[in-house]
Amino acid sequence: MADLPPTHQRNPALGDSRRQSTREAMTQPAQTKSFLSLQRDALVAELGRLGQPAFRAKQIRQWIYRRHAPGYDAMTDLPGPLRKTLEGSLPLYSSRIEQTQDDPDGTRKILVRLAPGDSVEAVLIPAPDRMTACLSTQVGCPIACIFCASGKAGLQRNLEAHEIVEQLLHLDRLVPRTDDDDRRIDHIVVMGMGEPLLNLANLMRALESIQAPDGYGLGARRITVSTSGLPDRIRALANMGYAFNLAVSLHAPDDALRSKLVPVNRGIGDILDAAREYVTKTGREVTIEYVLIRRINDRPDQARKLAWALKDLRCNINLIPYNSIDEPGLEPPSDSDCEAFAAVLRREGFPVHVRHQRGDRIAAACGQLRAATEAGKFAR
Ligand code: SAH
């Protein structure tokens, strides 16, 4: 049994009261009609009401998704009066970048202001071979993993589809570009704030716009959805017929420990059954995420137990050294313990990646920037 600090063993968040809050958020902000909230047909109809031909929808989408336009003003081949009308009747963005933080490694993290009191984080992670965007799906999170900043204040609400797409577009305009190098975001990880599968309908609407050839045009295989491990929702995603990559946050080799780290633990057996079904139905591989926390889940015998639990699942394993959020009793693992843990899994034949957190100097772990901002730690 891992020696989890007693504060966590008595943490009421680990009790049943939390379980109820995993239902879809019931309270939503009043629907505002915005350009990005409308699917193609509704958009054509709306533009028709403004006396505009159908081709306008495509023309404006091109500006938004391909030409990085920050607003209607930049759409120079639209008639001036139309730009003004659209601004009033079909606003483009409902959110704005409130803060940007740059890590020397190139990672850029933004705090996206949705409404007073409502903000989420999104991260741009440039690498030589790929440009990744990390997106949030909820304000806060109901799962309350003990090592994660996002769930500290529980769930506030689900994001609307357009609020998810807007994060991508805000990041898209931060991509470093030159006149002859028009780089685009080519991978998306839904690994920001929130539990994506508890906002499945809005997430799917957002990912449809992102995948559409006249939208951002990014294929499902370049999109990874990460879940804290909700078996019925994994099955629901598998049945939707998309080929998204799935990442499952496991964090422990047995249920006794997992229930302490991830209060909403639906049982490792059922989670892995659902993951196997996902692989069978979609043909995609699953990534198992495992946050390594010093002396809690980082021992070699726990690695062996994990290998045993995963023996029938075709998966990669992503080990993430805990990025400290100043939670008493939780510490990052030593490098040598990380490597020893990885070595056990590799010996058992698993592809293992130790994800040394990028952007840790800018508080890039889930929910940290938002938490610090609301607490006034960063200047605005
Ligand atoms: N809610 C989804 C997406 C969350 S973020 C999920 O649970 O999968 C993506 C990963 O970052 C998850 O595996 C999450 O457990 C991990 N994470 C959260 N806080 C962290 C921290 N402080 N240090 C390291 N990893 C963290």
Side-chain angles (χ1 to χ4, degrees), residues 49-82:
R49 263 191 286 281
L50 298 174
Q52 293 301 312
F55 75 82
R56 287 282 183 231
K58 192 171 175 200
Q59 188 183 11
I60 300 173
R61 280 162 83 99
Q62 278 248 330
W63 271 111
I64 296 169
Y65 291 110
R66 302 290 157 145
R67 303 173 75 178
H68 331 297
Y72 292 118
D73 264 358
M75 304 180 187
T76 44
D77 54 3
L78 289 190
L82 174 60

Side-chain angles (χ1 to χ4, degrees), residues 147-148 191 194 226-228 249 251 289 291 322-323 325 357 366:
F147 48 81
C148 177
M191 290 187 182
S226 178
T227 175
S228 61
S249 295
H251 309 318
E289 294 173 283
V291 173
Y322 165 63
N323 194 8
I325 59 161
Q357 289 252 349
C366 202

